[in-house]
Amino acid sequence: VYVMPTSGGVPHRITHYSGLDRMVEWHPDGQRILFASSREHGQRSTRQFFLADQKGGMHEKLAIPYGELATYSPDGSALVYITKITENYPFKRYRGGLTSDILHFDVEGKKVKRLTESHAIDGKPAWVGDKVVYLSDEGKNMRLNIWTVDPSSGERKQLTFLEDFDISYLSG
């Protein structure tokens, strides 16, 4: 993982690992970067989350067994994440053991709770205010549409209802 000034310049490497380190997102404090890596897991296909200072140095491993994509709440007190990236699979409407649910990690309490629990593909979570939006093909047409879940109540709601095509990208 590298950082560089927005005005351009020489990239500065902040992680040093011979395998894949994938930048996930900036921490809300603007000083640290969340990245996913298999560096301590022993299995190349499974990643864990780490925080690295934008200037480099030792990284901090989060107390989450494994994960792929994640996003912090605006205040940095929580992280929502998925354990597998399934919404990009080359096959559609997959129902099986490789689907991923949206999980909520309380950073201070170090507790995880499941926000979705379905046989459908749930992915690409993003915070919008105090809610989490994500892609899911749980609807009746089994197309990837935008859904929302309230982390406090667990209430879920489908926001878009595309019938012919999937939504392929979501960002909050």
Side-chain angles (χ1 to χ4, degrees), residues 3-65:
V3 295
M4 66 184 290
T6 56
S7 59
V10 178
H12 172 69
R13 188 173 183 174
I14 61 168
T15 65
H16 299 274
Y17 173 59
S18 61
L20 174 70
D21 285 342
R22 182 175 21 84
M23 194 270 195
V24 176
E25 85 161 11
W26 283 91
H27 188 278
D29 66 14
Q31 303 301 309
R32 296 177 288 169
I33 295 174
L34 179 68
F35 69 97
S37 177
S38 61
R39 63 179 56 217
E40 293 183 13
H41 199 271
Q43 190 176 9
R44 290 185 319 194
S45 63
T46 303
R47 313 231 184 310
Q48 295 171 300
F49 293 126
F50 298 85
L51 275 174
D53 187 275
Q54 68 174 334
K55 295 179 177 135
M58 295 300 293
H59 53 268
E60 171 192 349
K61 182 172 149 184
L62 300 186
I64 297 172

Side-chain angles (χ1 to χ4, degrees), residues 79-155:
L79 185 79
V80 290
Y81 68 100
I82 59 172
T83 56
K84 298 174 199 77
I85 301 174
T86 54
E87 65 276 13
N88 295 337
Y89 278 0
F91 40 88
K92 305 286 185 183
R93 296 166 286 288
Y94 172 75
R95 301 294 188 257
L98 293 177
T99 61
S100 188
D101 291 320
I102 309 296
L103 302 166
H104 178 278
F105 177 65
D106 175 348
V107 173
E108 189 174 313
K110 300 200 181 338
K111 293 188 177 169
V112 174
K113 71 177 178 180
R114 189 177 303 274
L115 295 182
T116 65
E117 191 166 356
S118 73
H119 60 285
I121 292 172
D122 296 335
K124 290 192 173 63
W127 286 91
V128 176
D130 60 350
K131 305 263 190 301
V132 175
V133 294
Y134 61 99
L135 295 180
S136 180
D137 68 356
E138 186 176 353
K140 71 175 186 165
N141 293 314
M142 297 174 77
R143 292 288 182 192
L144 285 173
N145 275 285
I146 300 173
W147 289 64
T148 184
V149 61
D150 182 328
S152 300
S153 68
E155 180 183 344

